[in-house]
Amino acid sequence: SVATGEVKFLAQHRWNQVRQTVWFDADTILATAAERPGEAYSIWQISYPSGAATKLTNDLNSYPTISLTADSGSIAAVMTELDNNIWVMPAFDASRATQVTQGRNLVGSPTFTPDGNLVFPLKQPVGGDLFLLDPSSGTKKQLTANAGDNLVPSVSPDGRYIVFMSDRAGAPH
């Protein structure tokens, strides 16, 4: 409140980071926010004064900033995409590097298995899953599914186990 200086939470929804807010009209606020660390910014509609929040974008792209025309008839948004891939090369010979993945949303370090395959995290619409990749054939197998973010894999020396960080229980473990 400008008059009293009182500060109160607007929405019950919790985000990891809110990047921008703009008033759409007297009863609605638009916000760009990320729900979890490292996640893309989505555009949210927040009702005022109830605080009810509705996610307007639900894809793998990030929308960090938005702007409205004076009459709120048009919204401009900056959309960002991550385009990253895994490359494999003989030690210290970048001239022989080979790209082994195609696409977007790689979110973390790949790690080799003892037999030369790769385990890596890939961002999904909700969370991130681990995949196993045979670099020679390009064959990819999903190892985790719909269980939050699964990151920083480490393969045991005998290849029987993968240790990784996951927030599937609500907090990183």
Side-chain angles (χ1 to χ4, degrees):
S1 169
V2 175
T4 67
E6 176 189 12
V7 176
K8 65 179 184 174
F9 283 108
L10 171 63
Q12 296 300 312
H13 193 90
R14 297 286 182 240
W15 294 277
N16 176 260
Q17 185 174 17
V18 176
R19 173 95 185 251
Q20 183 183 9
T21 58
V22 293
W23 284 93
F24 183 76
D25 59 31
D27 302 318
T28 309
I29 297 166
L30 296 180
T32 60
E35 292 184 272
R36 299 200 307 258
E39 196 164 87
Y41 290 95
S42 296
I43 301 174
W44 290 78
Q45 176 182 329
I46 305 165
S47 298
Y48 178 78
S50 73
T54 305
K55 193 175 193 180
L56 299 180
T57 56
N58 193 24
D59 57 14
L60 293 174
N61 299 313
S62 186
Y63 302 89
T65 58
I66 55 175
S67 182
L68 293 171
T69 56
D71 66 357
S72 297
S74 295
I75 299 170
V78 172
M79 181 188 78
T80 58
E81 299 175 322
L82 290 177
D83 185 20
N84 44 21
N85 292 286
I86 299 171
W87 291 69
V88 174
M89 67 180 197
F92 310 108
D93 189 358
S95 68
R96 294 182 35 215
T98 305
Q99 184 176 338
V100 296
T101 62
Q102 289 283 90
R104 302 176 25 211
N105 302 303
L106 176 67
V107 289
S109 300
T111 186
F112 277 104
T113 63
D115 61 357
N117 289 322
L118 287 166
V119 176
F120 65 96
L122 189 65
K123 190 71 177 160
Q124 302 298 323
V126 175
D129 289 313
L130 295 179
F131 287 81
L132 178 67
L133 173 74
D134 177 346
S136 61
S137 71
T139 303
K140 185 170 60 172
K141 177 182 177 185
Q142 189 168 348
L143 301 176
T144 63
N146 305 317
D149 278 320
N150 302 287
L151 304 167
V152 293
S154 178
V155 180
S156 64
D158 63 5
R160 293 179 53 210
Y161 301 99
I162 301 171
V163 176
F164 58 95
M165 188 281 301
S166 179
D167 66 358
R168 65 184 66 207
H173 289 86

